[in-house]
């Protein structure tokens, strides 16, 4: 039996030593990249190379055999890969009865977990007192004009405010920053500022607007009984809160609506020729709130009268300009969709082929037949069947059973296409002036390669002492596949982090692969001692409606393994921040990265006198 065990240990020892040799060989191959990083990242870069080499091997059988012997299976060695392998070799050497001293290990190997903790504090601020994970929140446009909103978000638990440079502009960004600084002074809480560069916009072009028409309809039950009349405001929007949030219909005769009285009846014939009566419910000098128990279609010029037969000009008014109706294309499986360089508003076709613009011109030079195209967060999918100088022909293979509506300004993903477009646009470079002035962190969108990181760092050369920290948004399959090279390039900078932008990444990788991909990003970043921001749709329903779904609560709990979690804006964002802070506080006693922490569970105490025995 002893011989058999010894032989097992010797075989395992040989396999682990070969694995170690490959890791050291990878370190030699990438010596120039490791030497180029900042001195503080040197060990992290080396550990990243070791981990990438380890994951280049399929060691599942080796892990199984190690586990059968009660030994480390190398499944939790991300933060100190070589040290974990060396410790395993030392144990196997003794078990196999061989002489020790075969390795030249350094006793002062840095603590990987401590390195990650220090890097997270340097990038994202000190760890909050009650939880291990920071909370980042996207600021709405209202944050520029509503100091109380910003102060409330900070009080609820926001640690980092995110400004999306794809929206608003320098003046509003500056106002948001001023409100954040004022909120800091009022609350005594520190809040970092992260500004996201917009990046290239790969979206559908405009669609021709439909007729200028406004439809209002009352609420009815399942069998058509009236529940509540429709409400709308006639005239100029009220200057106070008299009217609820309802459609506003301007009038050509501006003062007419202000002369109406409560209870007065207003008659009209709508766009379909249907006779309708509006009842005045409230009135002020700007206009009046009216109700109607039946559906009405208003168009510019619709006549409104206070008498059955108008006797004077004062009795009649006419509907003013209305916004044109937003149209969409109904896309079915099997349809042909042509993406064009021309951004002239597209005509809506009933049966196809459908044509719509594409906002990123480089697509037409880079795309190839056979590559996938995904639109509107993957709701529509197809394959490129033809490429021309100004057009891509796509055969639609995925859409809803009854078709899917495609609208203007919807995202386009090309997961198989090697796009030549830089991650930095001319607008991004212009926006960097505001970012350098106001932000603690700059986040770069649409990263696909180390070259994109290199270009950003070149534009940050004038930042003294690398004081502006850098976050890399991983939102494409290309970025995921190039992540080791991207991180090595970024380590030339002082403080860096990674954001898992799960929206576009899920579309490109496939929703069924998203859980796997985000886990692998977390592992690789732990090996590089790079802090991670877990982003996109965290407690999204909670922020929008005030009630979370069960699935997103579980998702928020899983986010505890990242160093920061990002929430998006919504009317109930304060509640979402508070809930997330509570979830993260409770989860810190159960997990730390990949490690399960076995704190005492009183709920399972078999000796509890109240257990019912």
């Amino acid at each position: 039996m002893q011989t058999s065990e010894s032989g097992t240990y010797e075989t395992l020892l040989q396999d682990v030593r070969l694995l170690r040799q490959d890791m050291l060989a990878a370190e030699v191959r990438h010596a120039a990249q490791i030497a180029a990083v900042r001195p503080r990242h040197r060990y992290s870069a080396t550990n990243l190379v070791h981990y990438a080499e380890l994951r280049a091997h399929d060691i599942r059988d080796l892990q199984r055999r190690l586990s059968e012997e009660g030994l480390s299976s190398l499944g939790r060695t991300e933060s100190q890969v070589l040290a974990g392998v060396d410790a395993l070799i030392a144990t196997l050497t003794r078990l196999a009865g061989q002489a020790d001293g075969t390795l030249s290990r350094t006793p002062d190997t840095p603590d990987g977990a401590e390195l990650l903790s220090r890097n997270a504090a340097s990038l994202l601020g000190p760890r909050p007192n009650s939880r291990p994970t920071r909370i980042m929140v996207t600021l709405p446009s209202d944050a520029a004009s509503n100091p109380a909103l910003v102060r409330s978000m900070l009080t609820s638990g926001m640690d980092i405010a995110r400004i999306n440079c794809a929206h608003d502009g320098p003046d509003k960004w500056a106002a948001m920053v001023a409100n954040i600084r004022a909120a800091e002074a009022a609350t005594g809480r520190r809040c970092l500022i992260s500004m996201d560069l917009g990046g290239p916009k790969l979206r559908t072009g405009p669609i021709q607007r439909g007729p200028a028409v406004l439809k209002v309809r009352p609420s009815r039950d399942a069998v058509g009984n009236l529940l509540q009349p429709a409400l709308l405001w006639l005239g100029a929007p009220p200057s106070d809160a008299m009217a609820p949030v309802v459609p506003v219909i301007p009038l050509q005769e501006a003062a007419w609506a202000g002369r109406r009285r409560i209870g007065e009846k207003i008659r009209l014939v709508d766009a379909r020729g249907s006779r309708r009566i509006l009842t005045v419910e409230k009135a002020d000098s700007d206009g009046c709130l009216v109700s109607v128990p039946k559906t009405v279609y208003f168009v510019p010029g619709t006549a409104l009268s206070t008498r059955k037969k108008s006797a004077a000009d004062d009795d009649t008014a006419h509907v003013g300009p209305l916004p044109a109706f937003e149209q969409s294309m109904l896309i079915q499986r099997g349809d042909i969709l042509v993406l064009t360089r021309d951004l002239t508003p597209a005509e809506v076709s009933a049966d196809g082929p459908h044509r719509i613009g594409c906002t990123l011109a480089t697509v037409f030079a880079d795309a190839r037949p056979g590559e996938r195209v995904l639109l509107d967060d993957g709701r529509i999918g197809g394959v490129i069947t033809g490429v021309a100088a100004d057009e891509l022909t796509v055969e639609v293979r995925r859409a809803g059973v009854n078709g899917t509506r495609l609208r203007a300004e919807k995202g386009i993903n090309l997961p198989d296409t090697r796009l030549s477009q830089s991650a930095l646009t001319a607008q991004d470079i212009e926006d960097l002036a505001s970012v350098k002035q106001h932000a603690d962190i700059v986040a770069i969108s649409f990263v696909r390669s180390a070259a994109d990181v290199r270009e950003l760092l070149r534009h940050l050369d004038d930042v003294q002492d690398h004081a502006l920290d850098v976050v890399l948004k991983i939102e494409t399959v290309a970025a995921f596949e190039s992540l080791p090279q991207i991180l090595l390039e970024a380590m030339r900078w002082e403080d860096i982090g990674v954001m898992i932008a799960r929206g576009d990444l899920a579309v490109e990788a496939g929703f069924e692969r998203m859980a796997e991909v985000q886990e692998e990003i977390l592992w690789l970043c732990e090996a590089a001692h790079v802090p991670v921001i877990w982003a996109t749709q965290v407690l999204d329903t909670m922020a929008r409606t005030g009630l979370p779904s069960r699935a997103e609560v579980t998702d928020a709990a899983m986010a505890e393994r990242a160093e920061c979690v990002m929430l998006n804006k919504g009317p109930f964002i304060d509640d979402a921040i508070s809930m997330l802070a509570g979830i993260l506080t409770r989860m810190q006693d159960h997990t730390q990265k990949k490690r399960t922490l076995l704190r005492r569970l009183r709920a399972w105490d078999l000796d509890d006198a109240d257990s019912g025995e």
Side-chain angles (χ1 to χ4, degrees):
M1 185 71 172
Q2 179 65 33
T3 303
S4 173
E5 288 182 355
S6 178
T8 298
Y9 295 142
E10 288 176 352
T11 301
L12 288 170
L13 179 58
Q14 181 181 4
D15 290 346
V16 177
R17 279 176 170 164
L18 289 173
L19 192 60
R20 184 181 191 273
Q21 289 177 12
D22 289 345
M23 290 164 55
L24 294 179
E27 180 182 340
V28 172
R29 292 196 305 273
H30 297 282
Q33 289 173 284
I34 294 172
V37 307
R38 303 282 291 181
R40 61 173 284 202
H41 297 312
R42 194 72 44 79
Y43 172 73
S44 300
T46 304
N47 194 66
L48 168 62
V49 169
H50 290 162
Y51 181 72
E53 180 62 28
L54 174 70
R55 294 303 306 273
H57 296 69
D58 188 342
I59 63 169
R60 286 175 294 180
D61 180 65
L62 174 60
Q63 288 182 298
R64 178 187 59 78
R65 290 186 286 128
L66 288 168
S67 295
E68 288 175 352
E69 300 299 327
L71 299 168
S72 167
S73 66
L74 301 175
R76 296 178 180 175
T77 59
E78 287 85 1
S79 63
Q80 291 174 298
V81 182
L82 189 61
V85 170
D86 285 353
L88 179 57
I89 289 176
T91 300
L92 286 169
T93 298
R94 289 193 294 271
L95 290 173
Q98 297 183 9
D100 201 356
T102 56
L103 302 175
S104 56
R105 298 187 300 276
T106 55
D108 58 345
T109 299
D111 184 321
E114 179 60 27
L115 274 177
L116 176 56
S117 179
R118 288 205 303 264
N119 289 342
S122 186
L123 174 74
L124 303 167
R127 169 178 165 156
N129 293 330
S130 61
R131 50 184 158 82
T133 308
R134 293 86 173 160
I135 297 176
M136 174 185 287
V137 185
T138 302
L139 296 183
S141 297
D142 290 350
S145 57
N146 190 345
L149 171 64
V150 177
R151 187 165 56 250
S152 176
M153 293 166 70
L154 191 55
T155 303
S156 297
M158 176 175 68
D159 302 299
I160 305 168
R162 172 180 176 260
I163 296 174
N164 187 354
C165 294
H167 304 291
D168 304 312
D171 291 342
K172 281 199 171 184
W173 304 335
M176 291 178 189
V177 171
N179 286 338
I180 293 168
R181 299 308 180 212
E184 286 180 320
T187 63
R189 285 178 50 86
R190 175 78 170 119
C191 182
L192 298 179
I193 296 173
S194 176
M195 296 180 71
D196 281 26
L197 300 174
K201 292 178 174 59
L202 181 50
R203 299 187 178 278
T204 54
I207 297 175
Q208 285 184 358
R209 307 285 288 187
V213 60
L214 177 64
K215 175 185 177 182
V216 292
R217 61 181 178 181
S219 298
R220 298 185 181 277
D221 63 17
V223 295
N225 295 313
L226 180 67
L227 296 176
Q228 182 177 345
L231 296 174
L232 57 142
W233 184 268
L234 299 179
S239 56
D240 55 25
M242 176 179 289
V245 179
V246 296
V248 174
I249 297 182
L251 301 179
Q252 296 176 17
E253 297 80 8
W256 184 86
R259 296 195 293 270
R260 305 282 59 88
R261 301 180 306 276
I262 295 176
E264 193 172 12
K265 304 297 182 182
I266 301 173
R267 292 170 170 80
L268 64 96
V269 177
D270 77 356
R272 300 172 302 164
S274 299
R275 297 182 181 276
R276 296 290 183 257
I277 297 178
L278 314 178
T279 301
V280 178
E281 303 290 345
K282 293 181 180 180
D284 70 7
S285 59
D286 296 311
C288 58
L289 180 71
V290 299
S291 65
V292 58
K294 296 182 178 180
T295 300
V296 186
Y297 288 80
F298 292 93
V299 294
T302 297
L304 309 177
S305 177
T306 57
R307 298 188 180 185
K308 292 183 179 180
K309 293 184 178 180
S310 179
D313 291 341
D314 187 56
D315 298 330
T316 305
H318 299 84
V319 172
L322 294 174
F325 179 72
E326 181 181 348
Q327 296 194 102
S328 60
M329 300 178 178
L330 182 61
I331 309 297
Q332 308 270 7
R333 296 178 192 176
D335 283 356
I336 297 299
L337 175 64
V338 180
L339 299 177
T340 74
R341 190 189 297 264
D342 183 7
L343 295 178
T344 302
E347 296 182 9
V348 175
S349 171
D351 53 2
H354 310 282
R355 299 176 64 86
I356 193 167
C358 173
T359 60
L360 194 63
T362 54
V363 164
F364 301 98
D366 297 334
R368 299 289 181 268
E371 294 175 343
R372 289 174 294 158
V373 177
L374 306 171
L375 302 102
D376 193 8
D377 289 336
R379 293 180 177 85
I380 300 170
V383 174
I384 298 173
T385 57
V387 178
D390 299 314
E391 293 183 353
L392 297 180
T393 302
V394 179
E395 179 187 325
V396 177
R397 297 185 178 178
R398 182 169 72 205
V401 175
N402 297 316
T404 299
R405 291 282 175 185
L406 179 62
R407 292 177 168 82
E409 292 292 314
K410 293 300 179 181
I412 302 174
N413 292 85
L414 300 165
D416 305 328
T417 304
R418 301 184 67 87
L419 293 173
S420 57
Q421 171 69 45
S422 168
L424 281 181
T425 66
Q427 185 62 55
D428 293 333
I429 295 170
E430 181 179 330
D431 291 343
L432 275 174
S434 293
V435 174
K436 292 175 184 178
Q437 180 182 357
H438 298 299
D440 301 291
I441 300 168
V442 59
I444 178 172
S445 305
F446 206 70
V447 175
R448 298 175 66 86
S449 67
D452 291 326
V453 179
R454 195 175 307 123
E455 184 180 4
L456 173 65
L457 299 187
R458 181 171 61 84
H459 285 284
L460 299 180
D461 275 343
D462 59 342
V463 176
Q464 187 174 6
D465 298 326
H466 291 193
L468 180 61
D469 300 338
V470 171
V471 164
L472 313 167
K473 294 174 67 175
I474 306 304
E475 50 194 328
T476 66
V477 169
F480 169 68
E481 293 175 345
S482 302
L483 190 53
Q485 294 88 345
I486 286 172
L487 291 177
L488 286 171
E489 187 67 36
M491 285 179 182
R492 297 169 181 257
W493 201 249
E494 192 67 23
D495 287 307
I496 62 168
V498 159
M499 177 183 287
I500 308 179
R502 300 184 302 164
D504 282 321
L505 187 57
V507 173
E508 290 215 357
F511 290 98
E512 67 279 3
R513 283 195 63 204
M514 189 58 221
E516 167 194 356
V517 167
Q518 69 186 13
E519 290 297 306
E520 292 181 1
I521 294 175
L522 283 168
W523 298 341
L524 188 67
C525 288
E526 185 178 359
H529 311 128
V530 169
V532 172
I533 302 166
W534 180 291
T536 311
Q537 291 191 325
V538 179
L539 293 181
D540 186 58
T541 306
M542 175 74 183
R544 288 186 292 104
T545 69
L547 292 173
S549 70
R550 293 172 179 83
E552 67 184 16
V553 171
T554 303
D555 177 61
M558 294 291 286
E560 186 270 339
R561 292 168 301 159
E563 284 66 44
C564 181
V565 184
M566 190 190 89
L567 295 173
N568 265 324
K569 54 197 172 186
F572 299 94
I573 188 60
D574 287 348
D575 295 335
I577 295 171
S578 298
M579 171 171 276
L580 179 59
I583 292 171
L584 296 174
T585 298
R586 287 187 290 274
M587 286 302 298
Q588 69 178 328
D589 292 332
H590 296 280
T591 61
Q592 183 182 33
K593 297 304 242 183
K594 286 175 63 181
R595 292 172 288 280
T596 301
L597 304 179
L598 303 181
R599 74 171 179 87
R600 181 183 179 188
L601 292 181
R602 299 181 185 276
W604 292 347
D605 190 349
L606 295 177
D607 296 323
D608 188 348
D610 296 327
S611 62
E613 295 180 0

